[in-house]
């Protein structure tokens, strides 16, 4: 399978482009490669689908952020699949935009249309370590499901929807302007080709009712707080058998009391005593993947950072693992035993003697008083 082109390159915009610039560029490409303007042209349809895929990502702030940081693999790792199977699916996603482009409400010619169900967005809180290693979380989602009384038709049981008299059931009308003939969505039935004279009493003709879904969400290892998972077909149901929308789950993690995460890398602080820093030692350090030992050389200064390769968080898409960075901080005791105080005073006298023997203080005063 060939690697998809960079989405910014597809739309001919830069990474710093605004939302309006991205939309403007996509509108231009959609006008050029629209299937109704290029009948029986597979190359044009492929260009149309490619541009629409790029726009579906770059027009969404969360998807765009994920793409900017992790590229195509990051989108797939976060459960986002921006691809489209055919042009009709594109129209269902960008109906309002195409209506603006071509002068009719969201669609393409060729018979009755039903509107895809709307998408849903929720937040899900995940433990810091669960986000590192991956997990499964149970969530409850309230959404618009198919009405049980009318099975989604919006028609009162015992009745049938009637054919629209304005368009004759086609869902579209032809408007003539000088020598041009423009096909537009029917204003009476809104493209459905049918009208409901007896709406369902249970759902007031909407065709949907509120239901609660209990879902199990698989959280991939290495996901970061703020990234979004896409559950295809778990959004609101569409009317009259139209495909449901998608559910977008934003993952949120709490701060950890010991670790700090920056992308795939983990940072922490490790207190050591003055004696350990001076003499050197071997310490057991906790990491997100378990404990490991670190050799502290003699004379290690406070603030020294040690890098533990491969002990960070997994990168989405199987692209390796980050590192852990451990900063040594020399801790100063707030209370001392009598023996400790005696030994420290003895050490201080020895160190002061060394300073005097070296003439350090004399040289220091000479420099600042000259």
């Amino acid at each position: 399978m060939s690697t998809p082109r960079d989405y910014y390159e597809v739309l001919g915009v830069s990474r710093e482009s605004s939302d309006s610039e991205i939309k403007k560029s996509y509108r231009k490409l959609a006008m050029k490669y629209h299937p109704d303007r290029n009948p029986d042209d597979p190359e044009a349809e492929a260009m149309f689908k490619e541009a629409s895929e790029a726009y579906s990502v770059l027009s969404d702030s969360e998807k765009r952020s994920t793409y900017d940081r992790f590229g195509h693999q990051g989108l797939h790792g976060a459960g986002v699949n921006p691809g489209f199977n055919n042009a009709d699916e594109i129209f269902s996603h960008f109906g309002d935009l195409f209506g603006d482009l071509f002068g009719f409400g969201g669609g393409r010619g060729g018979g009755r249309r039903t509107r895809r169900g709307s998408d849903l967005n929720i937040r899900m809180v995940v433990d810091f370590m669960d986000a590192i290693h991956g997990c499964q979380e149970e969530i409850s989602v309230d959404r618009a499901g198919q009405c049980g009384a009318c099975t989604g038709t919006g028609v009162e049981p015992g009745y049938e929807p009637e054919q629209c008299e304005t368009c004759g059931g086609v869902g579209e009308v032809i408007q003539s302007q000088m020598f041009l003939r423009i096909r537009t969505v029917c204003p009476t039935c809104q493209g459905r080709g049918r009208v409901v004279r007896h709406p369902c009493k249970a759902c007031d003709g909407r065709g949907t009712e509120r239901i609660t879904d209990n879902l199990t969400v698989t959280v991939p290892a290495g996901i970061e707080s703020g990234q979004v998972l896409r559950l295809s077909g778990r959004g609101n149901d569409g009317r009259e058998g139209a495909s449901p929308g998608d559910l977008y789950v934003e993952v949120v993690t709490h701060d950890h009391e010991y670790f700090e995460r920056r992308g795939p890398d983990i940072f922490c602080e490790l207190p050591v005593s003055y004696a350990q820093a001076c003499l050197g030692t071997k310490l057991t350090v906790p990491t997100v993947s378990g404990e490991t030992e670190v050799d502290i050389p003699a004379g290690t200064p406070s603030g020294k950072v040690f890098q533990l390769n491969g002990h960070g968080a997994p990168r989405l898409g199987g692209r390796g693992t980050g590192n852990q960075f451990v900063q040594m901080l020399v801790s100063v005791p707030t209370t001392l035993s009598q023996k400790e105080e005696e030994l420290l005073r003895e050490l201080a006298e020895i160190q002061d003697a060394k300073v005097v023997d070296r003439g350090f203080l004399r040289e220091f005063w000479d420099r600042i008083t000259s």
Side-chain angles (χ1 to χ4, degrees):
M1 183 179 295
S2 60
T3 302
R5 284 204 297 160
D6 178 79
Y7 286 146
Y8 291 97
E9 177 186 343
V10 170
L11 296 184
V13 296
S14 70
R15 291 185 174 269
E16 291 73 31
S17 296
S18 64
D19 292 342
S20 60
E21 291 172 331
I22 290 173
K23 182 176 181 180
K24 181 179 179 181
S25 178
Y26 174 60
R27 285 162 58 94
K28 182 178 179 180
L29 292 172
M31 289 281 288
K32 181 178 180 180
Y33 296 113
H34 192 280
D36 282 353
R37 297 195 171 196
N38 302 272
D40 303 321
D41 187 343
E43 183 176 352
E45 183 169 355
M47 297 291 289
F48 180 67
K49 289 168 63 177
E50 183 183 45
S52 298
E53 177 180 323
Y55 180 71
S56 73
V57 172
L58 300 186
S59 63
D60 184 298
S61 59
E62 294 175 345
K63 295 180 186 177
R64 183 178 180 182
S65 176
T66 299
Y67 178 73
D68 286 345
R69 296 181 65 183
F70 305 107
H72 295 283
Q73 289 296 325
L75 290 174
H76 293 301
V80 177
N81 179 18
F84 296 97
N85 294 323
N86 50 53
D88 288 328
E89 187 177 344
I90 297 172
F91 297 130
S92 70
H93 278 265
F94 306 124
D96 294 340
L97 180 60
F98 289 121
D100 186 21
L101 287 174
F102 300 103
F104 56 90
R108 184 182 184 186
R112 299 194 302 266
R113 292 178 296 273
T114 54
R115 186 177 295 276
R116 172 182 178 271
S118 58
D119 296 333
L120 292 176
N121 298 272
I122 67 168
R123 285 188 173 185
M124 180 178 66
V125 178
V126 176
D127 181 76
F128 181 91
M129 297 300 289
D130 285 341
I132 298 290
H133 301 295
C135 64
Q136 288 191 327
E137 294 285 338
E138 303 294 328
I139 61 172
S140 295
V141 180
D142 292 329
R143 68 183 186 92
Q146 187 180 84
C147 174
C150 65
T151 64
T153 65
V155 183
E156 180 68 13
Y159 294 91
E160 294 289 339
E162 301 176 10
Q163 179 175 292
C164 177
E165 296 178 355
T166 303
C167 64
V170 177
E172 296 168 343
V173 294
I174 303 296
Q175 294 182 351
S176 298
Q177 297 180 0
M178 298 182 65
F179 51 84
L180 294 177
R181 290 169 57 84
I182 301 175
R183 181 173 53 194
T184 65
V185 68
C186 175
T188 302
C189 65
Q190 301 301 314
R192 294 189 180 93
R194 300 178 296 174
V195 293
V196 176
R197 306 295 185 190
H198 302 88
C200 174
K201 294 184 178 64
C203 64
D204 294 327
R206 294 187 302 271
T208 59
E209 58 184 355
R210 302 306 298 178
I211 63 174
T212 299
D213 285 345
N214 297 314
L215 306 174
T216 300
V217 179
T218 299
V219 180
I223 195 168
E224 294 186 54
S225 186
Q227 290 189 307
V228 178
L229 301 174
R230 173 176 174 259
L231 277 64
S232 178
R234 290 297 186 174
N236 290 323
D237 281 348
R239 289 197 57 176
E240 302 179 36
S243 60
D246 298 329
L247 174 63
Y248 291 91
V249 182
E250 180 185 3
V251 175
V252 179
T253 62
H254 295 306
D255 293 337
H256 194 274
E257 62 179 353
Y258 182 71
F259 299 116
E260 178 187 351
R261 183 174 178 182
R262 303 174 194 171
D265 294 328
I266 303 295
F267 294 78
C268 69
E269 296 177 349
L270 185 67
V272 297
S273 68
Y274 178 70
Q276 288 174 320
C278 290
L279 302 175
T281 186
K282 178 176 289 187
L283 296 177
T284 299
V285 178
T287 74
V288 295
S289 55
E291 295 182 342
T292 188
E293 290 190 335
V294 177
D295 287 320
I296 309 299
T300 296
S302 184
K304 172 72 174 180
V305 177
F306 294 86
Q307 179 174 325
L308 308 180
N309 294 327
H311 284 280
R315 292 184 173 90
L316 290 177
R319 297 179 294 114
T321 305
N323 304 315
Q324 178 163 322
F325 297 87
V326 183
Q327 184 178 34
M328 299 297 152
L329 297 179
V330 176
S331 60
V332 178
T334 56
T335 59
L336 296 172
S337 67
Q338 183 177 354
K339 181 65 173 178
E340 288 173 330
E341 185 173 347
E342 291 174 358
L343 292 174
L344 284 174
R345 290 188 182 280
E346 182 179 350
L347 176 62
E349 292 176 0
I350 294 173
Q351 291 179 333
D352 287 343
K354 287 183 178 180
V355 171
V356 172
D357 289 344
R358 293 171 183 167
F360 173 78
L361 290 176
R362 187 180 302 107
E363 294 178 6
F364 175 75
W365 286 110
D366 288 345
R367 285 199 303 269
I368 64 175
T369 56
S370 61

